[in-house]
Amino acid sequence: MTEETQAQAAQRLYDQRGLTYEDSHHPSFTANFVKFAKIETGQRVLDLACGTGLVTFLASEAVGAGGEVIGVDISTGMLEQAKARKERESEKFSNVRFFQHDIIDLGDIVEIEEASFDFITIASALVLLKDAKAAVTGWVKYLKRGGKFVTDANHPQNFIDGMVIERVGSRLGAPVPYHRDWVKGEESLPELLRDAGLEVERCIPMASTGQGTMYYDLSDADNVFISKVITSEAARHLGAASLRDRARKMFKEEWLKVADDNDKIAEIDCTYVAVAKRP
């Protein structure tokens, strides 16, 4: 089985989500994310995996006419929405530019110069990268000295179906779009940022959806497998006829492993958000 590149996986997953992406928890989470970042007037911001521009446009308002925001994303469907909003509100967002590109390799975008940004942001996307530490290490050079890097990573039991799917994919050697097994707790994100050469200033737990902690039963495994694997684009490889039965069996095994002593599976509404500085 040929494994997708990160860029190919992102295109497949998000091209079809552009029209509905903002009909979700993402706008409220993004507002809190940008507020926590503390972007200031006149600054220059690079927003990676910008999607429909949720962070990009809030950052644009924060930096004002004297600042600039560059958004980069690989997804045609997501960027269509971002560019449409910029066109509708062209005067308000005249300080915004968008580029369709793989965020892992920014070297041939001439507008993105090294040591030129006060902020780099990447929201709700770090855990989609196969090697998050290598990616962050490669982005640090685009920050000014003292510039800030702002990102997030899911609590291990946030969107717990994704974590279980990742484990099943690993066991089967099948590609899945999630790469979050490195997140073991609140210290995992700060540790990654420090390893990438940054100085961590703040890291807090932040609600993702606002729904609080929810609980599944062991008996929910089949329904979750159907909704998140069989009928989902994200984990379509696990739903292929050649893997489906084995994937279903492994899903139930991994589902059992994350259950507590009362046979409940907790989905915890928590994402860790961090601000780190280039020394």
Side-chain angles (χ1 to χ4, degrees):
M1 183 179 297
T2 302
E3 189 170 355
E4 292 177 303
T5 66
Q6 186 277 327
Q8 289 169 337
Q11 286 176 305
R12 176 172 62 83
L13 289 173
Y14 288 98
D15 278 355
Q16 62 181 337
R17 295 180 63 189
L19 287 171
T20 60
Y21 185 76
E22 296 185 16
D23 300 330
S24 66
H25 68 280
H26 289 291
S28 60
F29 173 75
T30 299
N32 290 329
F33 179 96
V34 173
K35 183 178 180 180
F36 181 70
K38 298 183 179 179
I39 298 167
E40 297 180 355
T41 302
Q43 292 185 319
R44 194 164 189 247
V45 179
L46 174 61
D47 182 26
L48 300 173
C50 66
T52 59
L54 285 171
V55 171
T56 313
F57 293 122
L58 290 172
S60 168
E61 293 174 352
V63 301
E68 181 185 26
V69 185
I70 291 178
V72 182
D73 202 285
I74 195 65
S75 168
T76 300
M78 299 288 269
L79 279 178
E80 283 176 351
Q81 302 305 308
K83 291 177 179 178
R85 183 178 178 190
K86 175 177 164 55
E87 185 174 345
R88 289 194 305 270
E89 303 178 69
S90 57
E91 185 174 347
K92 180 179 181 180
F93 295 123
S94 61
N95 60 351
V96 170
R97 288 186 286 175
F98 289 110
F99 294 91
Q100 184 170 11
H101 204 278
D102 184 352
I103 63 171
I104 299 298
D105 181 17
L106 301 172
D108 58 349
I109 304 179
V110 297
E111 291 84 355
I112 298 180
E113 309 95 344
E114 294 186 10
S116 67
F117 291 94
D118 300 286
F119 272 88
I120 294 176
T121 58
I122 175 167
S124 303
L126 193 66
V127 294
L128 301 178
L129 306 181
K130 294 176 183 177
D131 191 340
K133 184 175 77 171
V136 176
T137 301
W139 294 327
V140 169
K141 64 178 175 286
Y142 296 106
L143 283 170
K144 298 175 182 177
R145 296 291 177 180
K148 306 295 180 63
F149 188 90
V150 190
T151 192
D152 63 287
N154 301 96
H155 183 287
Q157 289 182 253
N158 183 228
F159 302 113
I160 197 163
D161 53 89
M163 182 182 69
V164 174
I165 288 169
E166 181 180 351
R167 292 178 180 179
V168 173
S170 178
R171 288 176 61 180
L172 288 171
V176 294
Y178 313 116
H179 303 278
R180 44 180 282 199
D181 196 48
W182 58 271
V183 186
K184 308 300 183 186
E186 191 166 355
E187 274 304 307
S188 298
L189 180 57
E191 181 179 351
L192 181 146
L193 296 173
R194 286 191 288 266
D195 287 347
L198 295 163
E199 296 178 354
V200 178
E201 294 189 334
R202 294 172 283 144
C203 183
I204 65 166
M206 183 181 291
S208 299
T209 65
Q211 295 179 339
T213 300
M214 300 187 295
Y215 292 91
Y216 293 100
D217 294 318
L218 289 178
S219 60
D220 291 324
D222 267 328
N223 287 336
V224 176
F225 183 80
I226 291 169
S227 65
K228 300 298 184 179
V229 176
I230 301 299
T231 61
S232 169
E233 180 67 22
R236 69 174 184 180
H237 297 294
L238 300 182
S242 60
L243 290 179
R244 184 178 303 168
D245 289 343
R246 283 189 293 159
R248 186 191 301 270
K249 180 176 181 292
M250 290 181 186
F251 189 92
K252 290 181 178 180
E253 292 170 355
E254 296 297 334
W255 192 250
L256 177 61
K257 290 177 184 178
V258 297
D260 61 22
D261 292 339
N262 296 313
D263 289 339
K264 297 290 186 181
I265 295 89
E267 178 158 290
I268 298 174
D269 181 21
C270 175
T271 297
Y272 305 118
V273 184
V275 175
K277 178 176 70 174
R278 182 183 180 185

